[in-house]
């Protein structure tokens, strides 16, 4: 895995409480892993959607 960088984010207390519950139940080892996983999934979804939209444009249409 590449070197990690630290960033700051502000989250509502409700999200923090929910993350703490997942950590407490052993679903994730820590909050950081929850946030990394959520970002990975969001990026995969968004990038897939962009690729799908780009492919749906017929080849004869110039961009």
């Amino acid at each position: 895995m590449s070197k990690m960088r630290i960033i700051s984010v502000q989250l509502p207390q409700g999200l923090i409480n929910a993350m703490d519950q997942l950590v407490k139940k052993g679903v994730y080892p820590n909050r950081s892993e929850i946030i990394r996983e959520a970002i990975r999934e969001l990026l995969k979804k968004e990038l897939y959607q962009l690729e799908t939209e780009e492919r749906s444009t017929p080849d004869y249409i110039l961009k």
Side-chain angles (χ1 to χ4, degrees), residues 1-62:
M1 181 174 269
S2 63
K3 183 178 177 183
M4 301 276 185
R5 303 257 330 253
I6 296 173
I7 63 168
S8 294
V9 295
Q10 294 184 356
L11 298 171
Q13 188 62 48
L15 290 179
I16 294 169
N17 294 343
M19 288 191 298
D20 288 344
Q21 286 295 314
L22 291 172
V23 172
K24 183 177 179 182
K25 292 178 184 206
V27 178
Y28 291 93
N30 53 53
R31 291 175 180 170
S32 293
E33 190 56 38
I34 295 170
I35 294 168
R36 281 192 290 270
E37 178 68 19
I39 291 171
R40 279 192 294 267
E41 290 301 314
L42 175 69
L43 291 173
K44 282 194 297 189
K45 176 186 156 202
E46 292 293 329
L47 290 172
Y48 176 78
Q49 184 176 352
L50 285 173
E51 287 178 7
T52 303
E53 290 172 359
E54 289 173 0
R55 277 188 265 133
S56 67
T57 304
D59 293 334
Y60 60 86
I61 306 247
L62 299 176

